[in-house]
Structures are given as C-alpha cells and as structure tokens.
Amino acid sequence: MINPVFVTVAEVALGLAAAAAIYRIAKGPSLLDRMLASDVLLSIVVTALLLDMAVNRNLNNLVLVISLAVVGFIGSVTVARFVQDRSVPDDGTGRRETEDDR
Amino acid sequence: MTAENWDSVVDVASGILLAAGALLSLGAAIGMVRFPDLMSRMHAASKPQVLGMFLVLVALGLQLRTWVVWPVLLLAWLFQLLTVPISAHMISRAGYRTKHRHPELLSEDELAAVVAKAGEKKTAE
C-alpha cells in the first residue's frame, strides 16, 4: 500500500492546481490563454485518474486516459487553427485588436 | 533483501513519484496564474503534460506489480510526447499572429525578421 501521506500530498496539490487552472480559464484574457489553461486542467484530470488507478491497483480508467489525451490534442489544435481567422485588420496603432480580446 | 522489504521500497518509490507528478501539475497551475503572457504560460503548461504524466505512469506501473501493463503505459506516454509539441506549436503560432505577446519582455525575437520579410514579399506581389 502507498503511504497515505504521499497520496494526500498529491490530492491536495491536484486540487489546488485545478482551482488555479479554472481561475485562469475564467479570467482569460484571451481565448488562447483559456485554451492553454483547459489543456492544463485536462492533464490534471488525467493525473488524478492515474492516481486513482495507482491507489486502487486497477486499470479501469486507462482507456479514458488515452482518449482524453486524443480529445485534448484535437481540441487545442482546432482552436489554435480557428483563432487565426478571427483577427481584425491592422488599424495602425501597433497592437491589433482581435475578437477574442473582448 | 526479503520480498516484503522490496514491496515497501516499491511502495515508497511510487508514492514519491505520485507526489512529484501532482506537484508538477501544481507548479504548472501556479505558472498559469502568475506569469504575464501567453508564451511564458505555455512554458509552465507543458511540464505536467510530459514529465508529470511520465512520473505518474511509472508510479502506476510500479503499483500494479506486473510487466504486461508497461507497454500500454509507454504507449500512453509516447502519444502524449508526440501530441504536446504539436499543439504547443499551433497555440504559439496562433498567439504570435494574433499579437498575444509582449515584445518588451523578450530578449530576442528571431521570428520578427522572417515575418517582416514575408510581409514585404506579399506587398510586392
């Protein structure tokens, strides 16, 4: 059996990490920041599933872990692809405003 | 050493690996909150996706006490290793093009010359 101290440390760390990632998703400021934060949240969820499997010594979630990795990859690539087409033409002020700033 | 001793050594090792993997996630999340712009946040974000995942997968493999799961765990990690750089590249490319960056924080912008050259070419046509 794994020492419960390690498990507790890991659980608390994952909980705080998830809270911080959700804060960044809520705050933004841009769509890409939110996408990046949701990628981090996804990897936190995957880590939590793996932790659960290690503590209970089973492989119930392994398919879920692999499919979550696929979904996260497709999601972030798709968003990154679409965000390029949403920029407003340059207005000469240097910093271009984009729709996802709002 | 006896079998029981090895058992407890493996348990402690996997416990440390689990805690380290989870703390990497925490580090990435703190980076997400504290860092000022997209590029530096990306730097923090990729740590748990590769190293953190690796540590936790090794811990899981140690806990299961069987060799047959290691190829599956290796596959999960290799997949992560292939997809993380691609999505990071796509996000940073989109971020650069939509000006989600602070040029004053960069010590060198090697892409700027290439982008300027491409712009000249486009206007010349």
Side-chain angles (χ1 to χ4, degrees):
Chain A
M1 226 185 87
I2 305 176
N3 192 330
V5 174
F6 293 127
V7 181
T8 311
V9 166
E11 280 168 351
V12 170
L14 287 175
L16 291 174
I22 289 168
Y23 166 79
R24 182 50 70 194
I25 292 173
K27 190 139 179 288
S30 75
L31 181 64
L32 287 167
D33 286 310
R34 293 193 172 98
M35 198 60 229
L36 194 65
S38 66
D39 256 5
V40 170
L41 186 62
L42 194 77
S43 84
I44 292 166
V45 169
V46 166
T47 309
L49 287 170
L50 290 169
L51 176 71
D52 178 74
M53 283 195 285
V55 171
N56 296 320
R57 291 194 182 177
N58 58 46
L59 282 172
N60 299 350
N61 301 327
L62 198 63
V63 178
L64 184 58
V65 164
I66 294 173
S67 49
L68 271 180
V70 182
V71 170
F73 170 64
I74 294 171
S76 56
V77 168
T78 310
V79 169
R81 196 70 213 164
F82 274 108
V83 81
Q84 293 178 32
D85 297 327
R86 294 180 57 167
S87 55
V88 174
D90 202 327
D91 58 2
T93 56
R95 193 189 179 285
R96 255 190 326 184
E97 196 182 58
T98 53
E99 274 187 42
D100 56 279
D101 284 339
R102 288 169 207 152
Chain B
M1 267 205 310
T2 61
E4 287 80 38
N5 276 344
W6 272 116
D7 215 42
S8 55
V9 167
V10 170
D11 273 343
V12 169
S14 63
I16 291 171
L17 290 172
L18 278 177
L23 287 173
L24 272 174
S25 289
L26 180 61
I30 291 172
M32 296 300 298
V33 173
R34 298 275 302 161
F35 282 162
D37 66 342
L38 182 70
M39 299 296 168
S40 44
R41 281 181 200 140
M42 285 180 60
H43 153 71
S46 46
K47 264 81 196 165
Q49 289 173 345
V50 179
L51 181 59
M53 181 117 170
F54 173 75
L55 295 176
V56 180
L57 283 170
V58 170
L60 175 60
L62 289 177
Q63 275 302 301
L64 291 168
R65 302 282 201 285
T66 166
W67 287 110
V68 290
V69 294
W70 286 94
V72 186
L73 301 180
L74 184 70
L75 189 75
W77 188 63
L78 279 181
F79 187 76
Q80 194 78 355
L81 207 61
L82 284 174
T83 56
V84 164
I86 297 170
S87 62
H89 169 83
M90 294 293 289
I91 289 181
S92 65
R93 188 170 176 270
Y96 193 95
R97 297 210 168 188
T98 51
K99 313 279 178 191
H100 284 121
R101 62 202 158 91
H102 296 274
E104 71 277 6
L105 294 178
L106 298 175
S107 50
E108 189 156 352
D109 187 354
E110 288 175 325
L111 195 54
V114 182
V115 171
K117 208 174 170 188
E120 278 169 27
K121 227 177 185 177
K122 214 171 181 182
T123 45
E125 274 169 10

